[in-house]
Amino acid sequence: MGRLYLVKLDGRTYSCKFCGSHLALFKELMSKSFHCGNGKAYLFNTVVNVYAGPLEERLMTTGLHTVADIYCNCCGRNVGWKYEIAHEKSQKYKEGKFILERAKMIDGDVTNFAIDNNIGGSDADDV
């Protein structure tokens, strides 16, 4: 297996909830009004650090679509899907676009930090 190269995005990003790998820039967000089996989902123009699974036909609330699930390149977890073909004329705008499930990503504005509960002195003081 070859070396894994991940794209690091500059600016406000959405990242994989499971490993923190960047998935998309905020400016690529097209809509927050999508839904999936896990709740909310966002439509993006482009995403990075993902690979697609096999194509399959899915009957969704907006009609029949040919889609491929997408997986994080870093941890391999399913993070959403890509619209390949929209069979309804009114849904053609989705073709080539990506859905990221909200429950499987974190917003880059969220600050993750750890609090050190060890109130003691520095290491030099402990010697």
Side-chain angles (χ1 to χ4, degrees):
M1 179 183 253
R3 181 174 284 191
L4 178 65
Y5 291 99
L6 296 175
V7 176
K8 184 170 171 38
L9 300 171
D10 290 326
R12 183 175 175 194
T13 61
Y14 290 97
S15 301
C16 177
K17 173 183 176 181
F18 308 104
C19 70
S21 176
H22 288 176
L23 297 174
L25 284 170
F26 179 78
K27 68 181 181 180
E28 295 296 326
L29 177 63
M30 296 178 65
S31 175
K32 290 184 175 184
S33 59
F34 283 74
H35 298 278
C36 63
N38 294 320
K40 291 184 176 189
Y42 294 176
L43 182 69
F44 287 87
N45 190 42
T46 60
V47 298
V48 297
N49 298 326
V50 298
Y51 64 93
L55 295 178
E56 61 181 68
E57 302 287 322
R58 286 195 195 148
L59 185 58
M60 301 182 174
T61 56
T62 56
L64 184 65
H65 295 81
T66 303
V67 300
D69 284 335
I70 56 173
Y71 302 88
C72 176
N73 275 347
C74 188
C75 68
R77 301 286 294 261
N78 177 294
V79 292
W81 65 88
K82 179 181 182 184
Y83 287 105
E84 293 292 344
I85 301 170
H87 298 280
E88 301 288 331
K89 190 174 184 178
S90 65
Q91 302 300 308
K92 291 289 187 184
Y93 74 95
K94 295 177 184 174
E95 291 182 346
K97 306 297 188 273
F98 300 85
I99 288 288
L100 292 177
E101 298 182 30
R102 188 66 184 115
K104 297 178 180 180
M105 64 178 175
I106 53 174
D107 188 327
D109 279 356
V110 176
T111 304
N112 294 321
F113 60 91
I115 298 173
D116 185 4
N117 290 327
N118 182 3
I119 308 297
S122 68
D123 291 339
D125 292 341
D126 294 337
V127 176

